[in-house]
Amino acid sequence: MRKIEEILSLQDVSQIHNLLTARKQDFKTPLDVILMQWDPSKHKVFDERERPKKKIMVPSGKNDPITGKALYKSKWVDVVRIAVPIQQSIVDMIVSFLLMNEVTYKITAHGLRIKKLNDKQQSLSDAVNHCYHDNKMKYFDKRLVRTVCKEREAAELWYMEQDGSGKLTGRIKNMLLCPTRGDKLYPHFTDTHKMDGFAREYYTYDELGTAYMHFDVYTDMYVYQYQNLENGWTLTGKKMHGFTKIPVVYYRQDEAEWEKVQWAIERVETCISNWGDTNDYFGTPKYFVQGRLEGFAEKGEQGAVFVGGKDTRMNVLSWNSSPESVRGEIANLFNIIYSFTQTADISFENMKQLGNNTSGAAIRLMFTAPYMKADLKTEIYGEMFTRRCNIVANGIANTGAYIKGIGQDVVDSIDFEPVFKPYLPKNDVELLQLITSSNGGAKSTSNRRAIELNPLNDDADKVEEEMKQEQQDTMMQEAALSGFGGTATSKQSVVNEEE
């Protein structure tokens, strides 16, 4: 396989484009199908080819001229169509469990945590955190994970921010790349599956809406910018991007999160829609009358009486049994969907059934599957978030962004390891009672630590200061009440005694 440098050295730009785009592995399900599954308004239940309208016979208002009997005509009526956004629920649960607690980073060296950083290492760590704060990575990460779970691939592009004159601002910015934003992503790998280049195909538009097709290729030093003009692909620019690493982090998974249970989701929507159709016909009382009905009761009339002829028979159309089979099938389908996607079903009805007596340990066991799934997701995001840190640190060292004087040797001396804390419900009161009982009733934490852990305290320092002041005021009041004068000093007390 050719290296990225060999491909980019070719004179024929069209051949460069073909070589970098031809080897990408396709997904099992096309993107347009995935997006239709994601959007409830485009589900199959709304497709008249999958769920056609119903043909019924209705009175035409005319009679047969020979027999005098009423004539009927055919009419197409719509059926009930109910879509359920289960796909979005599954993805939102993954994002919540994985990133509800913000990702933090610990500094290590060859896998061992560094207890105390030197000044330059600490400066580099602060600069990386500054960059993440500027880019609002807490929220970017959620958009990223949601995009990958839905579209199956995405990338984050890091670049040096420039002002209007093209001068560096000293900040590093990032951009989310994904198919729904108009990006076609083409990572290039070596024979050992190491990414040595990354290509992005996209469109830009001018004020009149004219589209221009671009193809950017990133290597460890340069970005090559091509544009599809009237005479074909043309190299329009080659420049250094400010890093000595490819400034792109590429994410990919084989399937959307719900693909393996898509059949069950479609069956759920079919069952619920059929049930709705049945309710339209049998949800309110309907009567079958045989013979001639002389009179009919008024709506809401109490003690209503129906008057008929001699041989008139009147029956209420109703089911002999309730639709337990339908209810049971829908329940089983939901169980299949949530079980095989390892998703927590935390609907209001399910939570209401738990009551107030469920222990914290039992609740944690109920959330074991989604917790384990979130942990498995770190297989992808743990590695890629580490690469992200390496790219940002490399850019800081190369350009002096955020802080100057940090060399590549400082970057190479430490590693940034992401720490994920998947969400898991817990009962803090139950846990504290267990710790206290196991410690013989003695204190198991300091007052300061207790203040920090209290969720009602937003500023531990301020609360601690207020508590000390309140304690001092209480002691002074008690001293004043006992007649000792809490404000008198020891010297004043001796003088008063001598007098």
Side-chain angles (χ1 to χ4, degrees):
M1 184 187 300
R2 299 184 186 180
K3 294 182 179 180
I4 189 70
E5 291 82 4
E6 297 177 17
I7 296 175
L8 294 174
S9 64
L10 298 174
Q11 297 299 318
D12 187 353
V13 179
S14 296
Q15 187 179 4
I16 294 175
H17 179 268
N18 292 335
L19 289 174
L20 292 178
T21 59
R23 293 183 62 252
K24 183 175 180 180
Q25 182 180 0
D26 292 330
F27 292 101
K28 180 178 65 175
T29 306
L31 178 63
D32 57 343
V33 176
I34 291 294
L35 296 180
M36 290 178 65
Q37 295 172 357
W38 176 263
D39 185 355
S41 65
K42 297 179 181 178
H43 284 189
K44 285 186 178 180
V45 73
F46 291 107
D47 188 346
E48 292 188 7
R49 293 170 298 181
E50 298 288 338
R51 188 172 174 80
K53 291 184 177 181
K54 184 180 296 184
K55 186 177 181 180
I56 63 173
M57 303 300 293
V58 295
S60 63
K62 298 179 181 179
N63 295 328
D64 188 291
I66 299 176
T67 63
K69 294 183 177 180
L71 296 177
Y72 292 83
K73 62 179 181 180
S74 61
K75 178 182 178 181
W76 292 95
V77 296
D78 203 0
V79 294
V80 174
R81 306 175 190 275
I82 300 176
V84 186
I86 299 176
Q87 295 89 343
Q88 298 181 20
S89 175
I90 292 172
V91 171
D92 287 343
M93 282 294 175
I94 297 170
V95 176
S96 298
F97 271 85
L98 181 62
L99 298 174
M100 179 174 288
N101 298 313
E102 186 176 359
V103 179
T104 58
Y105 296 86
K106 65 180 181 180
I107 310 301
T108 63
H110 308 294
L112 299 177
R113 185 161 194 166
I114 302 176
K115 295 182 179 180
K116 185 173 179 57
L117 304 176
N118 61 40
D119 291 342
K120 288 194 173 183
Q121 290 173 339
Q122 186 62 56
S123 297
L124 176 60
S125 176
D126 293 342
V128 171
N129 288 327
H130 188 179
C131 176
Y132 288 171
H133 175 75
D134 283 351
N135 286 278
K136 301 177 177 61
M137 297 307 295
K138 175 181 178 180
Y139 310 106
F140 177 88
D141 289 345
K142 293 182 179 180
R143 289 194 299 272
L144 170 68
V145 174
R146 183 178 292 106
T147 301
V148 176
C149 290
K150 178 180 71 170
E151 302 178 33
R152 300 160 297 179
E153 68 172 345
E156 55 183 82
L157 169 64
W158 291 89
Y159 61 95
M160 299 296 170
E161 186 182 53
Q162 300 178 351
D163 58 18
S165 62
K167 184 179 179 181
L168 295 179
T169 64
R171 290 186 293 185
I172 304 175
K173 305 293 288 183
N174 77 336
M175 179 191 305
L176 179 63
L177 309 178
C178 62
T180 54
R181 294 192 176 200
D183 300 299
K184 292 183 178 179
L185 311 179
Y186 299 101
H188 185 270
F189 298 96
T190 64
D191 290 332
T192 58
H193 206 68
K194 178 181 179 181
M195 191 171 76
D196 63 350
F198 183 88
R200 170 199 178 203
E201 185 178 294
Y202 62 100
Y203 287 90
T204 58
Y205 300 86
D206 62 15
E207 293 79 2
L208 299 178
T210 305
Y212 300 92
M213 191 176 186
H214 297 264
F215 188 69
D216 295 348
V217 183
Y218 293 86
T219 66
D220 57 355
M221 292 291 292
Y222 298 96
V223 53
Y224 298 78
Q225 297 174 323
Y226 303 93
Q227 190 171 343
N228 194 3
L229 303 175
E230 294 180 356
N231 57 347
W233 286 104
T234 304
L235 177 65
T236 58
K238 173 187 175 183
K239 59 183 180 181
M240 299 182 69
H241 47 56
F243 303 86
T244 56
K245 294 178 177 290
I246 301 170
V248 178
V249 185
Y250 179 67
Y251 303 81
R252 179 185 172 115
Q253 62 183 44
D254 294 332
E255 293 182 333
E257 293 299 325
W258 64 85
E259 275 195 68
K260 63 174 70 73
V261 295
Q262 177 62 27
W263 64 271
I265 296 174
E266 292 174 359
R267 178 60 183 170
V268 164
E269 294 177 337
T270 299
C271 288
I272 296 177
S273 298
N274 290 342
W275 201 351
D277 258 334
T278 303
N279 285 338
D280 283 349
Y281 281 94
F282 300 101
T284 56
K286 287 181 173 57
Y287 304 91
F288 175 78
V289 179
Q290 182 180 4
R292 182 177 179 81
L293 188 64
E294 302 292 345
F296 199 81
E298 295 265 350
K299 182 176 75 170
E301 180 181 347
Q302 296 182 356
V305 176
F306 300 88
V307 180
K310 179 179 179 182
D311 296 325
T312 301
R313 296 288 183 271
M314 184 176 187
N315 298 299
V316 179
L317 299 180
S318 63
W319 293 340
N320 293 328
S321 60
S322 60
E324 290 298 330
S325 60
V326 178
R327 185 182 290 108
E329 181 180 1
I330 293 174
N332 288 335
L333 288 170
F334 271 110
N335 184 52
I336 290 172
I337 292 169
Y338 286 117
S339 296
F340 287 93
T341 57
Q342 294 176 285
T343 304
D345 184 5
I346 54 175
S347 63
F348 177 77
E349 289 298 322
N350 283 346
M351 294 296 100
K352 187 172 64 175
Q353 294 174 6
L354 293 178
N356 298 324
N357 299 322
T358 307
S359 67
I363 293 176
R364 287 194 296 275
L365 287 174
M366 292 170 55
F367 285 87
T368 298
Y371 181 88
M372 293 174 63
K373 181 176 184 178
D375 185 69
L376 288 174
K377 286 295 178 183
T378 62
E379 177 184 355
I380 299 175
Y381 299 103
E383 179 182 357
M384 294 301 108
F385 282 15
T386 300
R387 172 171 170 76
R388 167 199 292 175
C389 294
N390 294 337
I391 292 173
V392 173
N394 177 265
I396 292 172
N398 287 339
T399 64
Y402 297 101
I403 187 171
K404 298 185 183 300
I406 301 296
Q408 188 61 41
D409 58 327
V410 179
V411 176
D412 294 338
S413 68
I414 60 175
D415 299 313
F416 293 85
E417 184 177 336
V419 179
F420 295 85
K421 300 175 184 176
Y423 172 74
L424 188 63
K426 57 183 179 180
N427 188 332
D428 291 332
V429 175
E430 183 179 320
L431 179 60
L432 289 174
Q433 290 175 346
L434 179 62
I435 294 174
T436 302
S437 62
S438 63
N439 201 29
K443 288 178 59 176
S444 59
T445 187
S446 64
N447 292 338
R448 170 68 184 189
R449 186 62 176 158
I451 294 171
E452 292 176 346
L453 294 175
N454 190 330
L456 300 178
N457 297 333
D458 55 354
D459 187 340
D461 293 331
K462 183 178 179 181
V463 172
E464 186 177 25
E465 183 179 347
E466 290 173 350
M467 291 178 65
K468 289 180 178 179
Q469 184 62 44
E470 290 174 356
Q471 186 178 11
Q472 184 178 356
D473 292 343
T474 301
M475 292 175 61
M476 292 173 63
Q477 291 174 5
E478 291 177 351
L481 290 174
S482 60
F484 291 109
T487 58
T489 64
S490 57
K491 184 177 180 181
Q492 289 173 331
S493 299
V494 172
V495 172
N496 291 335
E497 213 172 70
E498 291 178 351
E499 293 176 351

